[in-house]
Amino acid sequence: QVQLVESGGGLVQPGGSLRLSCAASGSIVSINAMGWYRQAPGKQRELVATITRGGVTNYADSVKGRFTISRDNAKNTVYLQMNSLKSEDTAVYYCNADIRRRYGGVYLNYWGQGTQVTVSS
């Protein structure tokens, strides 16, 4: 059993900042890539940022220079620092991770429950 639990979402004014956290728990042996995705009303879910276990990052063009993804491997946690937020960033943000469980021979992909981020004046 593996869970990804997110926190940090909320309401913020344009130009403001939020920091999202996602902690993985359960029968975890190893976590490879972790990432953040988002889905706005009426739109497809899209990739926001990813980070490998070694710290190599990848960002959507729309968030480059504004968002920073990081992770703490000892805590099995990934973060998303969001600065200079725009109304276009309003969406449900989902945590994602590739995880190998105890007694499991492969990595499987897991999703968090999602957290709402609303950017509005």
Side-chain angles (χ1 to χ4, degrees):
Q1 301 176 22
V2 171
Q3 284 187 295
L4 299 177
V5 180
E6 298 163 305
S7 61
L11 175 65
V12 65
Q13 293 185 344
S17 298
L18 285 174
R19 191 188 193 215
L20 306 183
S21 299
C22 173
S25 63
S27 302
I28 297 170
V29 172
S30 182
I31 302 177
N32 278 342
M34 305 185 80
W36 291 93
Y37 294 71
R38 67 186 182 187
Q39 187 167 20
K43 299 185 68 176
Q44 294 276 69
R45 187 173 299 186
E46 65 177 351
L47 185 149
V48 177
T50 60
I51 183 168
T52 69
R53 181 172 179 82
V56 178
T57 59
N58 181 51
Y59 297 92
D61 289 341
S62 59
V63 307
K64 286 181 179 177
R66 300 188 298 120
F67 291 10
T68 302
I69 189 170
S70 61
R71 64 190 288 171
D72 186 334
N73 292 333
K75 296 181 178 180
N76 290 331
T77 299
V78 63
Y79 307 93
L80 185 67
Q81 179 67 47
M82 304 184 293
N83 299 326
S84 301
L85 283 162
K86 307 173 181 179
S87 60
E88 301 89 274
D89 297 317
T90 296
V92 177
Y93 283 70
Y94 296 91
C95 178
N96 181 267
D98 292 324
I99 300 173
R100 185 165 76 89
R101 297 173 59 188
R102 293 189 181 95
Y103 308 110
V106 298
Y107 285 88
L108 298 178
N109 190 253
Y110 296 85
W111 289 95
Q113 78 284 356
T115 185
Q116 178 70 48
V117 172
T118 302
V119 185
S120 177
S121 59

